[in-house]
Amino acid sequence: VSVGSGVQILGMSVVTLIFALLGFLSPAHRGALLQSMMLLFTFMGIFAGYFMSRLYKVFGADDWKTATLLLAFFYPGIMFVVFFFLNLLIWGQRSSGAVPFTTMFALLVLWFGISVPLVFLGSYFGFRREVIELPVRTNQIPRQIPEQPWFVAPTFTCLIGGILPFGAVFTELFFI
């Protein structure tokens, strides 16, 4: 499911960047970039379904309908619920920056009317293909993992990973 959503976002990003490089998306047209990203995300559902089903089939699974439903509804559903909740808060403040109800309805139509069927179509085509043959064999006897040094421990790496950015930001803010 995550692989399919990642393919969908990656495809949307690449095509949007190509359109922007070719000059089709200008910063002068307000909202054109966001609108094109929404449409491309919707249309990339076919690639998401295809790649998810191909990878799902490699692992020997056969419940493709459940996986496709999760792909079509899980991550987009979470994003829509969060967006809708935040928009409700903005509506409550009577802000002019709130997204109108008709636009929210149009997003639902794009999601359920175009994206979900395209995800199912891509998943159908992906499951009709043969299983990807992996080019290596896995050994049935597991190898021993050697003892790791102290600085590779998760506690130490988390501390260092947090101290370095904090130190950089603290130093920058100290001299302001």
Side-chain angles (χ1 to χ4, degrees):
V1 173
S2 296
V3 170
S5 295
V7 165
Q8 195 171 7
I9 292 172
L10 180 70
M12 172 203 63
S13 302
V14 167
V15 174
T16 302
L17 285 174
I18 289 172
F19 281 171
L21 285 172
L22 294 176
F24 293 127
L25 298 173
S26 172
H29 297 101
R30 237 183 101 142
L33 182 68
L34 182 62
Q35 183 180 9
S36 66
M37 288 175 67
M38 291 299 296
L39 286 174
L40 285 171
F41 182 81
T42 302
F43 292 129
M44 290 294 161
I46 193 165
F47 298 111
Y50 180 79
F51 283 102
M52 181 273 311
S53 63
R54 296 283 299 186
L55 186 66
Y56 192 67
K57 202 171 177 183
V58 166
F59 293 115
D62 57 353
D63 192 15
W64 68 275
K65 292 178 185 173
T66 304
T68 306
L69 280 172
L70 278 174
L71 174 64
F73 293 114
F74 186 65
Y75 288 120
I78 290 173
M79 293 300 126
F80 184 79
V81 166
V82 168
F83 178 69
F84 187 74
F85 178 73
L86 291 175
N87 200 39
L88 281 178
L89 294 177
I90 295 173
W91 275 340
Q93 295 294 323
R94 304 213 186 277
S95 172
S96 63
V99 178
F101 179 74
T102 54
T103 305
M104 295 293 277
F105 184 72
L107 286 176
L108 283 174
V109 168
L110 280 175
W111 184 18
F112 288 109
I114 299 174
S115 183
V116 172
L118 285 179
V119 167
F120 269 93
L121 185 67
S123 184
Y124 173 74
F125 285 133
F127 269 105
R128 287 187 54 200
R129 301 279 310 261
E130 291 183 24
V131 178
I132 299 171
E133 292 294 327
L134 301 176
V136 296
R137 279 185 317 139
T138 56
N139 194 355
Q140 296 298 329
I141 304 170
R143 296 187 330 185
Q144 279 190 333
I145 299 173
E147 188 67 32
Q148 300 296 316
W150 62 272
F151 55 84
V152 184
T155 307
F156 182 75
T157 56
C158 287
L159 285 174
I160 294 301
I163 288 173
L164 290 176
F166 174 76
V169 170
F170 181 79
T171 307
E172 289 287 333
L173 293 177
F174 184 74
F175 290 108
I176 291 181

